[in-house]
Amino acid sequence: MQIESAIAMRAEMRSQGVIMAYNGEISDELMITLAEILKRRVGSEVDPKRSRSVFAVFMEGVQNLIWHSVAPERAAGMVIISELEAELTVMCANRIKKADSVQLRETLVQLAGADKDRIRQLYREGMSKSIDHEGPGAGLGLLEIARRSPYPINYAFVDVNDDEVDYFIAARI
Amino acid sequence: MKDLFIDATERTPAVRFRAESCELSLEGESYPEDVAAFYGDVIPVLESWSESDAVRIHVLVRLIYINSSSMKALYRIFDILDNGRELGKTVSIRWCYLVDDDVMQELGEDFKDRFPDLDLFLEVVE
């Protein structure tokens, strides 16, 4: 990469209000380190409620990224936190199997059209189903994000090849 | 039934179970790296309570942040408590949340909704 490109990249990040950006392999340990930095940056003294929401959304987003990567033993992805006009956006992206994207898309469509009461109802139903949920999670991560964010979750799927897609979600707080 | 004492860490709650008085408390943060391993020490203690001739249990839950994968374990704990109630045991739960923490307040209400027959009392703490 040329320095000129880095300069342009940095200018773009500044104009977008990026306060943290990471792309690459990501571990549980790194997730915690970034979460702690973010917690301090958001200012838990000024607005503890918002700080807790940002922390929770970040943790759920990155946890999802780690668990649902194409190669979970070497999970990789992109995490970008930006803040413009006091609105903070947590963005996570990772590569997933195309087969897994179908269910995910259905869930995201459902959440996008749901009001807060409906999200809460879905969460309650998800709690009951969590016991039977396979894998390390509870199947509640997206619901937790939807619950903590006052706005609908934005998302995108970008085809990579026949078997894989890049998956992006962004939650605003 | 055995006593269980686990000290809190930055990512895991303090867990205390006193077998003699049948008191259980969970206090602190809950986002362990390995949820199954952490709660794998807690759940068998409750199962042995459920199978024992103990007639009651007092539970205190005072959590700050609980990640969604810990929810699966917490739900399992409530499920065991509810089974104990069905067997005729007296179960009382105090669910404490910080004064401005509506997320933990709502979560307490959600557990109440899922387990309507459990004696679950929500309490605001400063």
Side-chain angles (χ1 to χ4, degrees):
Chain A
M1 190 187 202
Q2 301 290 320
I3 283 184
E4 288 71 23
S5 302
I7 292 169
M9 208 174 187
R10 184 168 172 178
E12 175 67 10
M13 285 202 277
R14 281 189 169 157
S15 73
Q16 294 289 329
V18 172
I19 56 178
M20 188 189 282
Y22 181 82
N23 186 49
E25 222 171 285
I26 187 155
S27 63
D28 183 87
E29 202 180 4
L30 179 60
M31 172 179 76
I32 297 294
T33 305
L34 296 178
E36 293 298 332
I37 294 170
L38 186 60
K39 212 181 205 175
R40 280 200 298 276
R41 175 68 166 73
V42 175
S44 47
E45 303 83 22
V46 189
D47 189 349
K49 198 174 143 181
R50 181 162 182 264
S51 167
R52 281 197 297 268
S53 288
V54 170
F55 184 76
V57 167
F58 177 88
M59 292 288 287
E60 296 297 337
V62 179
Q63 193 92 80
N64 268 345
L65 181 159
I66 292 174
W67 284 337
H68 300 294
S69 279
V70 186
E73 66 284 355
R74 287 189 67 191
M78 183 173 81
V79 181
I80 299 177
I81 316 295
S82 57
E83 192 171 31
L84 280 178
E85 287 159 17
E87 191 176 274
L88 195 130
T89 302
V90 176
M91 189 163 346
C92 294
N94 61 308
R95 193 155 290 185
I96 60 169
K97 295 190 187 83
K98 197 172 240 175
D100 296 337
S101 70
V102 180
Q103 171 82 52
L104 199 51
R105 199 186 289 260
E106 274 174 29
T107 306
L108 286 161
V109 168
Q110 188 183 32
L111 288 179
D115 61 17
K116 285 290 155 195
D117 287 341
R118 178 74 187 130
I119 288 169
R120 198 167 179 194
Q121 184 56 35
L122 290 169
Y123 189 90
R124 287 177 171 180
E125 288 164 13
M127 284 168 79
S128 302
K129 288 184 213 147
S130 68
I131 283 193
D132 301 319
H133 189 84
E134 285 174 26
L140 291 169
L142 282 176
L143 281 162
E144 183 74 45
I145 294 171
R147 201 171 176 166
R148 301 263 187 174
S149 169
Y151 313 99
I153 299 172
N154 291 324
Y155 58 91
F157 293 92
V158 180
D159 280 345
V160 180
N161 54 41
D162 287 346
D163 303 317
E164 295 171 348
V165 291
D166 279 335
Y167 158 54
F168 296 76
I169 62 163
R172 291 181 289 151
I173 302 138
Chain B
M1 280 193 294
K2 279 192 249 166
D3 283 348
L4 179 70
F5 295 100
I6 304 171
D7 287 332
T9 70
E10 270 182 24
R11 300 178 63 174
T12 55
V15 182
R16 312 219 178 284
F17 179 72
R18 289 183 179 80
E20 201 192 339
S21 54
C22 285
E23 289 175 296
L24 170 76
S25 61
L26 296 166
E27 298 180 81
E29 303 275 2
S30 185
Y31 50 104
E33 179 172 7
D34 189 339
V35 171
F38 181 79
Y39 285 97
D41 291 334
V42 181
I43 285 166
V45 170
L46 277 168
E47 281 171 337
S48 71
W49 165 81
S50 181
E51 289 157 10
S52 76
D53 53 10
V55 293
R56 59 176 156 66
I57 192 166
H58 293 287
V59 183
L60 170 70
V61 181
R62 192 196 293 223
L63 294 169
I64 300 159
Y65 165 60
I66 168 164
N67 71 349
S68 69
S69 50
S70 297
M71 276 297 300
K72 181 157 69 172
L74 196 58
Y75 192 88
R76 177 87 186 100
I77 289 170
F78 272 71
D79 203 35
I80 297 169
L81 293 170
D82 201 39
N83 286 338
R85 181 197 57 78
E86 281 176 0
L87 294 168
K89 298 174 193 291
T90 304
V91 179
S92 63
I93 306 165
R94 275 171 67 203
W95 179 282
C96 299
Y97 58 92
L98 288 170
V99 68
D100 65 341
D101 193 352
D102 48 1
V103 171
M104 285 310 293
Q105 180 188 350
E106 284 186 6
L107 201 56
E109 291 165 5
D110 293 339
F111 271 106
K112 227 175 154 62
D113 174 84
R114 293 290 101 178
F115 297 96
D117 297 321
L118 276 179
D119 178 14
L120 175 62
F121 180 73
L122 268 63
E123 187 180 322
V124 193
V125 290
E126 293 292 325

